[in-house]
Amino acid sequence: MGKLSGALDMHIHGAPDIVKRKLSDIEIVRDAITHGMYGVVLKTHLGSTAERAALMQELFGAKLRVFGGITLNNFIGGFNPLALQVALMMGAKIVWMPTFTAKTHLIYERKIGKAVNALSNVCANIEGLSILDDNGKILDSVVKILNLVAKHNAVLGCGHIGMEEVKALIPVAKACGVKKIVYNHPNNPINAASLEEQQWLVSQGVLLERCVVDLVQGLADWKIILKEIRETGVENNIFSTDLGQFTNIAPTKGLELAHDILLENHFNTQEISKLICENPRELLLT
């Protein structure tokens, strides 16, 4: 059995896209099958991958589970309940809060004075989305979004809205009946969450998604991430890749890298399986 036997990568970016990608959806799925993986989640910042995932599932049948989701960026109208409802009806399993058009993301990019990728230029002149109104209250449209996520038992991904907004989001999400919440890449400067904040998140039942892309691009440190996984509990973490960038390694290579480094740093095979197989599968299948 290979290193990735039974693994599920919950965060892969493929082509088609307006950003140059390393692999197409078809190539991503074929590569995952070759490595004996259980499944992959296709993600785009542009909207929904539910349709693309359905096509990949039809093409490759029982060889791999292919999941899609929807990202609530301006490209589909932001917090658009109708767009979300259609995506969920099409089979979307994950609903991500805004990423590249999140206000927090845009503030970060403007602060560092550097575009993350080609999408940054498209978003250069927009204000950005916040889940909060001017009085700090959750928008009615966001509450409608959360009710739809709960109704369809989908996974809520926090996207790039950052800790300040997430602290307001989680209690409302739980009150709406949302059962599965993931805080995406807490070690990325855009979404940085301190260890104390991560511990609060897991106390609220939130899973922490560690992403290989943050490590291969030098945005995070392996030692810190491994320590934080220990501090917050293997059962409360998942390892995804967030790969697909043209200049980076392939997603399967990234997940193998995570496997090897975890093993080298005294995580046993059962713990590694929790991080890359069991925890993501439980999120998507229960």
Side-chain angles (χ1 to χ4, degrees), residues 42 58 91 102 107 175 194 197-198 203 222 245 261 264:
L42 303 175
E58 182 177 347
I107 289 172
S194 68
E197 289 169 331
Q198 293 175 37
S203 78
W222 277 109
Q245 303 78 20
I261 290 179
E264 290 167 7

Side-chain angles (χ1 to χ4, degrees), residues 223-242:
K223 291 181 180 179
I224 292 174
I225 287 183
L226 297 176
K227 180 179 183 295
E228 289 177 350
I229 291 173
R230 285 295 187 204
E231 292 284 343
T232 55
V234 169
E235 68 279 9
N236 299 312
N237 286 267
I238 57 178
F239 237 120
S240 302
T241 66
D242 192 10

Side-chain angles (χ1 to χ4, degrees), residues 146-160:
L146 297 173
N147 282 324
L148 282 167
V149 172
K151 179 181 178 181
H152 289 264
N153 193 33
V155 177
L156 177 65
C158 294
H160 295 182

Side-chain angles (χ1 to χ4, degrees), residues 115-127:
V116 174
N117 64 29
L119 271 180
S120 304
N121 298 324
V122 176
C123 304
N125 297 316
I126 66 173
E127 181 181 350

Side-chain angles (χ1 to χ4, degrees), residues 100-167:
F100 268 70
T101 70
K103 188 174 183 179
T104 302
H105 180 107
L106 293 170
I107 289 172
Y108 170 78
E109 283 201 12
R110 288 160 188 169
K111 180 180 177 181
I112 65 172
K114 181 181 178 182
V116 174
N117 64 29
L119 271 180
S120 304
N121 298 324
V122 176
C123 304
N125 297 316
I126 66 173
E127 181 181 350
L129 295 167
S130 171
I131 66 168
L132 306 173
D133 64 18
D134 292 339
N135 297 314
K137 181 184 175 183
I138 299 283
L139 297 170
D140 289 342
S141 57
V142 173
V143 175
K144 291 178 182 178
I145 294 291
L146 297 173
N147 282 324
L148 282 167
V149 172
K151 179 181 178 181
H152 289 264
N153 193 33
V155 177
L156 177 65
C158 294
H160 295 182
I161 64 174
M163 271 303 304
E164 182 178 350
E165 293 189 27
V166 167
K167 286 176 180 177

Side-chain angles (χ1 to χ4, degrees), residues 20-34:
K20 190 174 184 180
R21 295 299 181 189
K22 194 171 194 74
L23 302 170
S24 70
D25 290 349
I26 293 173
E27 291 170 320
I28 287 167
V29 172
R30 283 176 174 160
D31 193 30
I33 291 170
T34 299

